[in-house]
Amino acid sequence: MSILNERAHTIAHVLIEALPYIRRFRGKTIVIKYGGNAMVDETLKQGFARDVVLMKMVGINPVIVHGGGPQIGSLLKRLGKVSEFVQGMRVTDAETMDVVEMVLGGLVNKEIVNFINRHGGSAVGLTGKDGDLIRARKLLLRRDAPELTEPEIIDIGHVGEVESVDAAVVHMLVKGDFIPVIAPIGVGEDGRSYNINADLVAGKIAEVLKAEKLLLLTNTTGLLDAEGNLIAELDVGRVHALIQEGVIAGGMLPKVQCALDAVHGGVKSAHIIDGRVEHAVMLDLFTDEGVGTLIRSR
C-alpha cells in the first residue's frame, strides 16, 4: 500500500469510527472546563479551538468554562503583589479581585473567544455577572487542629461558591448558534464580585443545562489505580471506594468531587481528560479509547 493510500485508509477509518459518536451527541450540550497546559501551550490552544469548532459544525453544543490561575499570578507578580494561598485557594482582597476580573473576564476570556472565532466558530465571552448567570456566596474555609477548642473559620476575601445558576443567557446563545465562553466570576447579594473555582462552575452549569457530558481538562492522564495505571471507566460506587482507600487524594479530590456532583445532578457522564494531549476533546468524544477517565452513575 502506498503512503498516499495508507493515509487515505487511516482518515477513512477515523471518520467511520467518529460517525456513531457524532450521531449520538448531535443536538446535545457538552460542558468543557478548559484549563491547565491546554490554555498556555500555543499548539494545544489551536487544537482546542479547532475541536470546539468541529463540535459545533457537526451539531453538538459546546459550552466552555475556563480558569486562569497562572495568568492571574503572573500579572499580580508584575504589579508587585505577592500571592498568598490558604488550603490551595488564593487569598483575594478587593485589589486582587480587580486583577482577577481583568484577567479572567478580559484577557483570558477574549483570547479564547478570538481563537475559536479565528478557526471558524462564533464564540461569545461572558462572566457569571452577565445575565445574572451565577449568583455566588462567600466561601469560608474551616481549619481543624488538635490545639483548637473549636474549628477556625478563615475568611479569604472575594472567593466564592456557586449559590445558583440562571442559564437563560447561555440557552439564548446556544439557540443562536453561538459558543458561550464563561469566566468563573459570580456576584453576591451584596453586589460584590467573587472568584469561583472553574471546575465547580463548570459542574453546576452542566447540571442546570442537563448536559450530556462534562469534560474536565487536566494536566494528568486521568484517575490512576493503586499501581499507577489509568482507570478508563468507573462508576460512582467505585469512585467512593477509591477515595476511602486513599487512592484518590490530594489535588485530584476536588475535580473528582465536582464530577460526582455533576453526575448526581443529572449529567449523563463526567470525564477527566488529559489536556496535554493535542486534540484531547475530539479524541475523547469521537474515538473508542478516549484520553482519560469516564465517571458514570452506574
Side-chain angles (χ1 to χ4, degrees), residues 181-204:
V181 179
I182 303 166
I185 298 168
V187 61
E189 285 188 3
D190 55 6
R192 293 183 178 181
S193 299
Y194 289 94
N195 184 19
I196 310 174
N197 178 280
D199 290 330
L200 298 179
V201 171
K204 291 297 182 184

Side-chain angles (χ1 to χ4, degrees), residues 155-167:
D155 183 345
I156 54 174
H158 292 252
V159 178
E161 55 187 341
V162 177
E163 184 170 63
S164 64
V165 172
D166 181 349

Side-chain angles (χ1 to χ4, degrees), residues 83-119:
S83 294
E84 181 185 350
F85 292 86
V86 176
Q87 296 180 19
M89 296 188 179
R90 189 188 305 275
V91 177
T92 307
D93 58 17
E95 185 180 35
T96 301
M97 189 64 218
D98 287 342
V99 173
V100 168
E101 288 208 70
M102 182 166 50
V103 173
L104 291 184
L107 179 67
V108 173
N109 187 274
K110 300 316 172 193
E111 180 185 58
I112 298 167
V113 167
N114 186 42
F115 266 107
I116 292 171
N117 291 347
R118 279 170 51 197
H119 285 90

Side-chain angles (χ1 to χ4, degrees), residues 27-32 61-65 133 165-172 174 180 182 201-213 265-267:
K28 305 292 187 182
T29 296
I30 294 178
V31 176
I32 307 167
N61 298 318
V63 175
I64 300 162
V65 178
L133 173 59
V165 172
D166 181 349
V169 66
V170 177
H171 284 300
M172 181 185 71
V174 170
I182 303 166
V201 171
K204 291 297 182 184
I205 287 177
E207 287 182 42
V208 171
L209 294 177
K210 303 299 181 190
E212 182 75 13
K213 287 180 181 288
V267 179

